[in-house]
Amino acid sequence: MVLFDSPAFEQHEGVHAVYDAKSGLKCIIAVHSTARGPAAGGCRMWPYPDARAAQDDALKLSRAMSYKNAMADLDLGGGKSVIIGDSRTQKTPELFEALGRAVESLGGRYWAAEDVGVSPADLAHTRRRTRYVAGLDGHPAASGDPSPVTAEGVFRGIELCVQRAYGHGLSGVRVALQGVGHVGGLLADKLYAAGARLTISDVNQAAVHAVAERTAARIVAPGAIFDTECEVFAPCALGGAINADTLPRIKAPVIAGGANNQLADPAVGRAVFERGLIYAPDFVINGGGIINVAAEIRGIESGGAYDPAWVEGKLARLMQTLGEVLDRSEAERRPADEVAVEVARARIAA
Ligand code: NAD
């Protein structure tokens, strides 16, 4: 009963363990909810230490996709797939075709897209075996890399939070940005163009120097980013950046960034609130990427093309939702992440 007893199980509709002897694929596809539409969420490839760790990750990520898709007002449910393996050494076309067969066997209950360790080129192999895959290039509905839309949403979300905290725009505002990869790098460009002053960190030296060169950012060591004097802390690296150790060091009155699962646990969300900080719940502020993927799914389903105006409409609405969550958090004196989960659950239930 390991599965049903897992704290992350939380009423998943289906959890599918897939093994393909020929390609070596070991994969778990978790479908949390199809109440709002077919489940959609990325496929992650990661060298999990064991199947239990892979299962728990799939469950947590899939539930988070239900919340994210609901907050972005998409007709999509939440799902996620994880492949157990090392993306640097174990990728083959056969592996991703086997993933395609597994996705196809669910008959459209789950749409796959990219996530950590999986690229559009990998999913082109998946596409040979199923139509239920998005985030690709080279067809009329193709939406390509979701990162630019994610970064745009995070940028607007930071602007909104700064306006609430200080009553002015981003000019002269100091932002500490952790992680300058796909999302963080593009976000740095936007913040710089808006007049913000950046301090950045990344474990990837080449990336951090390239971004610093074009944005006049100050570079600090990865561990030092939490101690930076600033108005905004923007986590754009991996999950769990805000935890019992780092929170007391964060000096910014605003925490808003693109990373998934920024709070190590709900208790940290409460501590953020009790310190009086403005926190933009991650699964709200970073919903731009899935909106972009949803535009591709919409195009494939209707036989139409990718529609940037539809994406812009959803992104603008998402920012309104972020504002509403922060309003309620203030009025009801409750942590913003708690309010956001409640709103997402109500939307799913409705
Ligand atoms: P990425 O891998 O391109 O970038 C992550 C960066 O963080 C890398 O440059 C990496 O070197 C750096 N990093 C890792 N550990 C670090 C540390 N301890 N300190 C500083 N830097 C560190 O990934 P991405 O696509 O930019 O995604 C970033 C985050 O945003 C992830 O949490 C991802 O799940 C989330 N996210 C991404 C999208 C998207 O559209 N790409 C959408 C929603 C959420």
Side-chain angles (χ1 to χ4, degrees):
M1 295 298 282
V2 167
L3 179 60
F4 296 121
D5 292 343
S6 163
F9 180 71
E10 213 200 298
Q11 301 182 344
H12 267 71
E13 287 178 16
V15 183
H16 310 268
V18 180
Y19 176 61
D20 179 65
K22 218 169 159 190
S23 64
L25 176 75
K26 274 188 191 165
C27 166
I28 295 170
I29 303 177
V31 175
H32 177 251
S33 168
T34 57
R36 294 178 61 89
C43 174
R44 176 169 296 191
M45 185 166 185
W46 195 256
Y48 295 99
D50 52 41
R52 173 73 191 254
Q55 176 191 288
D56 279 355
D57 205 28
L59 292 173
K60 276 189 206 145
L61 291 165
S62 139
R63 184 187 54 190
M65 285 312 301
S66 286
Y67 296 165
K68 191 184 293 198
N69 292 340
M71 293 311 265
D73 196 22
L74 301 173
D75 295 333
L76 295 171
K80 199 90 178 184
S81 49
V82 301
I83 296 174
I84 302 173
D86 190 331
S87 63
R88 290 166 305 179
T89 55
Q90 290 177 303
K91 281 183 177 180
T92 61
E94 293 74 26
L95 190 85
F96 285 96
E97 282 195 37
L99 172 72
R101 286 193 295 274
V103 170
E104 182 66 20
S105 74
L106 299 181
R109 287 174 60 76
Y110 168 67
W111 281 78
E114 298 97 342
D115 196 67
V116 176
V118 174
S119 69
D122 300 324
L123 292 183
H125 301 298
T126 305
R127 183 59 172 259
R128 291 205 196 110
R129 301 294 167 196
T130 185
R131 62 190 283 269
Y132 303 114
V133 54
L136 296 165
D137 296 314
H139 65 93
S143 60
D145 178 5
S147 309
V149 186
T150 304
E152 176 62 22
V154 175
F155 171 73
R156 292 187 200 180
I158 291 176
E159 223 172 12
L160 185 152
C161 292
V162 167
Q163 191 65 43
R164 289 179 82 92
Y166 298 101
H168 59 66
L170 288 168
S171 182
V173 168
R174 296 170 301 172
V175 181
L177 208 167
Q178 182 198 34
V180 289
H182 286 97
V183 174
L186 292 167
L187 176 63
D189 293 335
K190 288 173 189 289
L191 291 168
Y192 174 65
R197 289 155 55 201
L198 298 172
T199 301
I200 60 176
S201 76
D202 199 297
V203 290
N204 178 335
Q205 287 306 303
V208 83
H209 281 104
V211 172
E213 206 156 291
R214 55 179 205 257
T215 62
R218 186 169 73 95
I219 299 173
V220 294
I225 195 77
F226 302 102
D227 305 308
T228 305
E229 293 287 347
C230 59
E231 282 75 53
V232 179
F233 181 71
C236 293
L238 304 180
I242 319 292
N243 56 49
D245 294 329
T246 58
L247 181 59
R249 293 163 54 195
I250 293 174
K251 305 203 171 43
V254 172
I255 299 178
N260 279 316
N261 302 327
Q262 290 169 26
L263 303 174
D265 54 57
V268 177
R270 180 148 285 281
V272 166
F273 176 74
E274 280 163 5
R275 279 190 54 186
L277 312 187
I278 294 181
Y279 169 65
D282 46 20
F283 62 87
V284 186
I285 193 172
N286 74 13
I290 193 68
I291 288 175
N292 205 48
V293 168
E296 180 169 339
I297 295 175
R298 189 171 170 267
I300 294 169
E301 293 288 45
S302 66
Y306 175 81
D307 180 354
W310 184 86
V311 171
E312 174 51 38
K314 288 287 180 192
L315 199 60
R317 177 76 191 100
L318 183 64
M319 289 305 121
Q320 274 175 19
T321 300
L322 176 60
E324 287 158 16
V325 166
L326 295 176
D327 284 345
R328 268 189 63 182
S329 163
E330 203 178 316
E332 297 172 16
R333 307 198 49 73
R334 294 163 61 210
D337 55 305
E338 211 177 282
V339 171
V341 167
E342 193 177 287
V343 173
R345 285 186 176 154
R347 287 185 178 187
I348 294 165

